[in-house]
Amino acid sequence: PLWNRLAFFFIVIITTILEICRKIWYNRKNIVIKDRQMKAEKLNKWAELLLDTGKRNNLIHFKDTKMGSVEILSPDFVTLFNRAEHSAVFEVYDPKLEDEEEEFDFVEEETEENRNDKHISKDDYLSAYERKLKRQQILVYNTINKPISALKNISKKAKTAIEETGVNIAYIAFGFIHWTENENSQYVMRAPILLAPITIENESSIEPYYVKVTDDEIIVNPTFAFKLQNDYGIKLPEFDDDEGIETYFAKIEELVSKLKWKVSTECKI
């Protein structure tokens, strides 16, 4: 009968709708669980970084590595910071992308013959390329004269960390406190003062790298601030946009001078 067919058809539709609803609810539940797990992992990672005040932590004892850090030589510290405050995007100047012939051999392919003659001092590197920079470009340097390769490596590690933990580990460090464990120690360590989270992007091998500041808020190094207050009774002040970076660093210098420590205005990625 027609009525039975309609009833059967209606039951099939209701059953299908219920099954779809069940799957949607199940998938949403899984998404919520995974989201919570990711947030928990992210918080655990941050807790681990914040609580680790040992010398292996770069936020306590920063060490330059061949492929894990680069220094920003230009523009100057104040100019760079003021632009970074407004979430700037910086193009990384790459000598290999220049059409003109470069002055130094280190932009060529490395060979066995020139490997030991490739080191160029920071001052020579700066004087050779600073005049070629455009307004939104930055000049980066490392001790083995492979800053672009190092930047590529930093980018790769940062993306892996975000995928695995949800935590960005790529930063521009503005300024360093040069500190010792006690007044008798001759071993000087460096701890970053201000940190700006960044992403490093590159479209292809014939395109430049771009460094983007991803957050308006540039933060005080939380790990070293904790160690400084806990071990030495000194509280690092928060940075105030209204006072300017030079005034802020003068305050930091005055604070740490009590311990005979020094402050530098290096910028590192």
Side-chain angles (χ1 to χ4, degrees):
L2 180 61
W3 173 250
N4 288 343
R5 290 180 183 179
L6 289 174
F8 176 77
F9 183 68
F10 181 74
I11 291 170
V12 169
I13 291 175
I14 295 297
T15 304
T16 303
I17 292 172
L18 289 174
E19 181 63 19
I20 292 171
C21 290
R22 187 189 69 81
K23 288 181 178 180
I24 292 173
W25 179 85
Y26 179 78
N27 289 336
R28 287 186 63 185
K29 183 179 179 182
N30 281 346
I31 290 170
V32 170
I33 290 171
K34 288 178 181 178
D35 186 52
R36 287 176 180 171
Q37 287 174 342
M38 181 167 280
K39 286 180 180 178
E41 288 174 2
K42 187 173 182 177
L43 289 172
N44 288 338
K45 184 67 178 178
W46 267 112
E48 181 184 325
L49 289 171
L50 291 171
L51 295 174
D52 179 12
T53 57
K55 296 175 188 174
R56 291 185 178 182
N57 190 339
N58 256 355
L59 296 178
I60 296 293
H61 179 24
F62 180 87
K63 296 179 288 294
D64 284 303
T65 60
K66 291 180 179 179
M67 298 300 287
S69 62
V70 296
E71 182 173 357
I72 303 175
L73 299 184
S74 186
D76 64 85
F77 176 79
V78 175
T79 302
L80 182 70
F81 183 85
N82 289 339
R83 290 177 184 171
E85 264 197 297
H86 299 93
S87 300
V89 178
F90 300 104
E91 178 186 328
V92 180
Y93 177 83
D94 185 354
K96 289 183 180 179
L97 298 181
E98 289 290 302
D99 293 330
E100 62 191 28
E101 185 177 344
E102 299 298 338
E103 292 102 307
F104 293 122
D105 291 336
F106 62 81
V107 300
E108 300 173 358
E109 289 297 318
E110 183 178 26
T111 64
E112 199 66 42
E113 289 76 17
N114 67 19
R115 181 174 294 148
N116 296 324
D117 300 322
K118 288 167 67 66
H119 176 71
I120 303 299
S121 73
K122 188 188 300 185
D123 289 339
D124 285 343
Y125 194 92
L126 184 62
S127 63
Y129 295 124
E130 185 178 31
R131 57 189 168 82
K132 300 179 181 181
L133 296 187
K134 298 173 185 175
R135 174 176 167 76
Q136 284 302 110
Q137 286 184 319
I138 57 175
L139 181 65
V140 296
Y141 172 85
N142 71 351
T143 55
I144 61 169
N145 302 129
K146 288 186 175 182
I148 304 301
S149 296
L151 205 61
K152 179 180 178 180
N153 186 57
I154 296 168
S155 175
K156 183 179 178 181
K157 287 185 175 181
K159 287 176 181 176
T160 299
I162 289 174
E163 288 171 2
E164 294 180 353
T165 66
V167 176
N168 184 15
I169 59 172
Y171 287 87
I172 296 179
F174 289 97
F176 290 81
I177 293 174
H178 298 245
W179 67 284
T180 57
E181 290 190 296
N182 56 66
E183 59 183 13
N184 298 318
S185 175
Q186 300 297 312
Y187 186 60
V188 180
M189 293 168 277
R190 290 180 300 168
I193 300 173
L194 295 174
L195 302 169
I198 59 170
T199 58
I200 303 167
E201 303 293 339
N202 172 251
E203 295 278 334
S204 69
S205 59
I206 60 172
E207 294 291 330
Y209 275 84
Y210 290 90
V211 174
K212 180 181 180 182
V213 180
T214 59
D215 198 328
D216 290 333
E217 187 176 2
I218 298 175
I219 63 170
V220 177
N221 178 350
T223 308
F224 191 69
F226 172 78
K227 182 176 180 64
L228 196 57
Q229 185 165 11
N230 191 60
D231 294 358
Y232 301 96
I234 293 178
K235 180 176 175 59
L236 284 181
E238 293 296 324
F239 173 69
D240 184 354
D241 296 346
D242 296 331
E243 68 180 350
I245 189 62
E246 291 173 292
T247 302
Y248 178 76
F249 265 68
K251 286 165 62 176
I252 298 293
E253 198 163 14
E254 184 180 353
L255 278 173
V256 301
S257 65
K258 300 170 185 176
L259 298 170
K260 298 181 179 179
W261 296 351
K262 295 182 179 179
V263 170
S264 67
T265 54
E266 302 164 282
C267 295
K268 305 270 187 177
I269 296 177

